[in-house]
Amino acid sequence: AVVSTQSGHYGRVNNLRMKIICLLVSCLVLAMAQGKGAGDFDYFDAFEMGMSHAINMWNGMIKEHLLNEDMTGYNDTIVATLAIVEQQICPADTKKCSPDESWLLGCNCRDGFKRLGECRLKPCELFRYFKDSGPDGLAKFVMAESYSERYAVVFEYFANPISRALCDCPGLVDASVNCVTNYDGRLFSLLGIDRSVFDHVVDNFDWGALSKIFKGYMKVGCGVKDGKECITELTRMFSVAGTFLDNTFSSKDVCLSLIRIEDAFVSYLHTVASFNMETESISSIANRFVDAYLGMQREAICEPSCAGEVADAFYSCCAKDAFDVMFSKPLMKAYGKLWESIWPLISESSQRPDFSQAFKKYKSFMDLGTFCGDSTDVYKKEKSTDCDSALIPLLYILN
């Protein structure tokens, strides 16, 4: 389903980010245990090592499990699998669904997509796009020599096609949710897997809240602001974030580099390293994390000599709209409902952590004129008569 594909992407990105943070914190703790001070430990070397480890892991998986030896196409196993799956994603357009023929997605899913009119063909179009263009994108990712190249490949070949499909056919969100919540396919029985855990998650998860969040984000990505298509504009910002990483790992002390904010970056890592899950509540940890994170953001975007260059790179009407939607009352309510449904699925405790204070602090980042105070007036100026621009958090999109 399209929704699970996109949410899976964000899940993998967040998981990668956490692995890198954990590696840095582990190195920090080890350095402390060995009696090394901040001056004896190169945090950026550790950061680069963590990122390189993740990239090498992805590259190895792609070459070993997805592509053929010369990386010109999928390997034989993937080709055979795609041929089987294609019959399920792109079935003959018959009036009545046969459970035997629709064993993967099920008839409820297939019927749901058929109700989308012309958009009923969009899943098949996406599948065939990835079948035909996927190898080229994966090969370019493996061969990329910089993070800016990798970011560009990920968006050009994978993220943007999905985003454009959702913009063309917003009904895909609810149709995809229907595929999960009313699943009547035979995959579990064919694999001999008990589906009770799947059913428990489906029954207790707030799919309505998830759908509302996705539609809110689609409203942002599918828009045109200040004469610019937001899908293209947001892609450009992420690509520039790749340049930010390249500059950092090349030890360039320039505006678009973490080298410039080394002290704030190290302070952030020290804060994360000090978390104690045994003595602190999750809410307290969340508040301290946001405080440290915003401190690092303030150093990154508000420093007067670099504020202008940072604004040129990441300051846009599309970003402003993204923040407005992300922190709107309807979506804030949806986040709460989604969290309420997730917590019992991941914890045996009946007491949910309260993240409202942390969210309120993070929301302060929306108003950059106030956030930066008297440090700079760059963010107090309008970029155009059409919008008051805002900034996508630099350090959010870096990894």
Side-chain angles (χ1 to χ4, degrees), residues 140-166:
K140 286 185 176 180
F141 182 88
V142 170
M143 294 185 292
E145 297 181 354
S146 68
Y147 286 93
S148 57
E149 289 181 57
R150 295 184 184 103
Y151 277 50
V153 168
V154 168
F155 277 87
E156 178 184 353
Y157 283 88
F158 303 102
N160 283 357
I162 294 176
S163 297
R164 292 189 183 281
L166 290 170

Side-chain angles (χ1 to χ4, degrees), residues 12-33:
R12 287 189 293 274
V13 170
N14 289 330
N15 189 40
L16 173 59
R17 184 180 294 112
M18 288 308 301
K19 285 182 178 179
I20 293 169
I21 291 174
C22 288
L23 174 62
L24 287 167
V25 172
S26 298
C27 292
L28 174 60
V29 172
L30 181 59
M32 290 178 172

Side-chain angles (χ1 to χ4, degrees), residues 93-331:
D93 198 5
T94 56
K95 292 184 178 181
K96 190 173 182 180
C97 173
S98 168
D100 291 330
E101 294 178 357
S102 296
W103 55 265
L104 180 61
L105 299 180
C107 288
N108 286 334
C109 182
R110 182 177 170 184
D111 291 343
F113 280 113
K114 286 180 69 175
R115 289 193 288 270
L116 296 180
E118 291 185 3
C119 285
R120 72 187 186 282
L121 302 176
K122 189 62 68 173
C124 179
E125 292 173 5
L126 268 179
F127 176 86
R128 286 177 172 162
Y129 165 81
F130 288 122
K131 176 186 174 184
D132 296 337
S133 302
D136 187 36
L138 291 171
K140 286 185 176 180
F141 182 88
V142 170
M143 294 185 292
E145 297 181 354
S146 68
Y147 286 93
S148 57
E149 289 181 57
R150 295 184 184 103
Y151 277 50
V153 168
V154 168
F155 277 87
E156 178 184 353
Y157 283 88
F158 303 102
N160 283 357
I162 294 176
S163 297
R164 292 189 183 281
L166 290 170
C167 292
D168 292 341
C169 300
L172 289 174
V173 174
D174 288 334
S176 297
V177 169
N178 170 65
C179 290
V180 179
T181 56
N182 295 298
Y183 183 70
D184 62 346
R186 298 183 176 180
L187 184 62
F188 288 100
S189 60
L190 290 173
L191 296 176
I193 299 175
D194 181 6
R195 63 173 288 171
S196 60
V197 174
F198 171 81
D199 290 334
H200 175 71
V201 172
V202 168
D203 292 341
N204 291 278
F205 191 83
D206 195 327
W207 296 98
L210 181 65
S211 177
K212 180 174 290 188
I213 292 169
F214 264 96
K215 291 175 181 177
Y217 290 168
M218 286 165 56
K219 179 182 178 182
V220 174
C222 300
V224 176
K225 299 293 179 181
D226 199 25
K228 296 179 180 179
E229 185 184 43
C230 286
I231 288 181
T232 303
E233 181 65 10
L234 295 175
T235 296
R236 181 195 66 78
M237 294 180 187
F238 275 87
S239 182
V240 174
T243 301
F244 202 102
L245 285 177
D246 293 331
N247 289 338
T248 299
F249 299 146
S250 298
S251 300
K252 294 180 180 179
D253 188 0
V254 294
C255 289
L256 300 184
S257 171
L258 285 173
I259 301 293
R260 176 174 63 86
I261 60 168
E262 179 175 2
D263 290 342
F265 180 65
V266 172
S267 177
Y268 165 77
L269 292 180
H270 274 273
T271 298
V272 176
S274 70
F275 293 159
N276 190 325
M277 297 296 293
E278 295 183 359
T279 61
E280 283 188 279
S281 68
I282 297 178
S283 298
S284 173
I285 289 176
N287 283 315
R288 291 211 293 134
F289 176 84
V290 170
D291 288 339
Y293 180 76
L294 291 182
M296 184 167 57
Q297 289 281 9
R298 187 172 285 106
E299 187 71 19
I301 69 170
C302 300
E303 201 279 317
S305 65
C306 285
E309 186 173 345
V310 171
D312 288 341
F314 299 100
Y315 200 50
S316 77
C317 295
C318 289
K320 184 264 180 185
D321 195 41
F323 260 170
D324 285 349
V325 171
M326 287 170 61
F327 289 96
S328 64
K329 288 184 178 180
L331 256 63

